[in-house]
Amino acid sequence: MKRLFFLNLLAFLLFVSCASADNSSSYLIRAEESIDIEERIGIYLSQIEENSDDMRAYYNLAYLYLYQEDYLKAEEILKRAISLFPEHFRFHSALLYLYERTGDEDKELETLYNILSFMYADEDVRNRILRILDKRNDERKVPFAEETLLYYPENQRAINILSEVHPYFETKAIKNMDEDDIRNYSLPLSDEVFIILVNPEGYGESILDLFSGTLLSQAE
């Protein structure tokens, strides 16, 4: 379903670029009138050889390679396009899709960081980076999680990562778990903390206020 949605989106963008074609880009019309994909690919290849600055030709060519699942050629075209048009987000987005399909986490992570330069505070992009960093136990995950909380103080993935290094975030990470989840939580909890987590309404201070106070006393 995700792949179908993405390809439909790419097809829509391709349609928009063709619909806006003027006489100087009649090759777009010729390409879309052809029912043969290989012929269409040939038209776009000829165009970028003649005009290396034609952004639409690169994008449409990359789309056709993605549609064919020819990921090596799609990667080659997308990287070439990015070198020419680094400010155009949709090439980076298409490259991210490619690496998700091929399962290349190294390149996926690199591309996500590049996309972050366009969408620095985008929570979805940050969550995807955190997922990979956490999976690999990458040393960058804690500082990146801290940075993410500056934008999204309730980001659960960042909180879960920070729960490994500080009891404040440990408590914050599990406050919404049910009783069985709390009992089975990997980090040990005192009876007092367990009772607070299970029945926070029974205490005058909220869980976070309580542990914020603990942090302050430790800092002093």
Side-chain angles (χ1 to χ4, degrees):
M1 180 64 70
K2 181 178 179 181
R3 177 177 179 272
L4 181 61
F5 171 79
F6 186 86
L7 289 177
N8 285 339
L9 175 62
L10 286 174
F12 171 75
L13 293 173
L14 181 146
F15 172 79
V16 169
S17 67
C18 293
S20 62
D22 53 28
N23 292 334
S24 64
S25 53
S26 59
Y27 75 91
L28 289 167
I29 298 173
R30 288 190 292 110
E32 291 313 298
E33 285 179 346
S34 173
I35 61 173
D36 184 84
I37 290 182
E38 293 301 328
E39 182 180 352
R40 293 165 68 183
I41 287 174
I43 292 172
Y44 290 128
L45 283 172
S46 296
Q47 176 62 19
I48 63 176
E49 287 177 3
E50 295 175 7
N51 184 1
S52 61
D53 294 329
D54 194 322
M55 184 173 61
R56 287 177 296 189
Y58 284 101
Y59 184 77
N60 292 353
L61 178 59
Y63 163 76
L64 291 175
Y65 284 140
L66 287 172
Y67 183 79
Q68 288 187 316
E69 298 186 352
D70 191 338
Y71 296 130
L72 286 177
K73 289 182 180 178
E75 180 182 31
E76 178 185 350
I77 292 299
L78 287 169
K79 283 189 170 181
R80 184 175 168 187
I82 288 171
S83 69
L84 293 168
F85 318 105
E87 73 281 6
H88 287 278
F89 169 76
R90 63 182 181 176
F91 290 117
H92 298 273
S93 181
L95 195 60
L96 176 62
Y97 168 79
L98 187 157
Y99 294 140
E100 288 176 335
R101 297 297 300 169
T102 60
D104 191 328
E105 274 194 350
D106 287 331
K107 292 182 178 179
E108 181 183 350
L109 186 60
E110 178 185 353
T111 305
L112 282 165
Y113 274 119
N114 289 335
I115 288 175
L116 204 64
S117 67
F118 293 87
M119 309 164 67
Y120 195 70
D122 186 86
E123 189 169 17
D124 178 62
V125 173
R126 287 183 167 275
N127 275 334
R128 292 166 79 173
I129 292 174
L130 286 170
R131 175 184 59 81
I132 297 175
L133 295 180
D134 193 27
K135 177 181 176 182
R136 296 176 161 200
N137 199 25
D138 191 297
E139 64 181 8
R140 293 172 291 180
K141 71 177 183 177
V142 169
F144 192 82
E146 291 173 340
E147 180 183 274
T148 297
L149 286 184
L150 295 177
Y151 296 95
Y152 303 100
E154 300 300 322
N155 183 281
Q156 197 62 46
R157 191 176 290 277
I159 289 170
N160 290 344
I161 288 173
L162 293 174
S163 72
E164 301 171 10
V165 297
H166 204 290
Y168 168 73
F169 290 105
E170 174 191 348
T171 307
K172 190 172 174 62
I174 61 180
K175 68 173 184 173
N176 293 322
M177 291 182 177
D178 62 30
E179 185 170 335
D180 288 337
D181 287 334
I182 293 173
R183 287 189 185 279
N184 294 326
Y185 194 66
S186 59
L187 295 176
L189 298 171
S190 68
D191 290 341
E192 181 182 11
V193 171
F194 175 79
I195 293 171
I196 294 172
L197 290 171
V198 172
N199 185 27
E201 292 81 7
Y203 286 76
E205 297 176 284
S206 72
I207 298 170
L208 299 185
D209 288 341
L210 176 65
F211 279 83
S212 294
T214 301
L215 286 178
L216 288 174
S217 64
Q218 290 175 349
E220 293 171 355

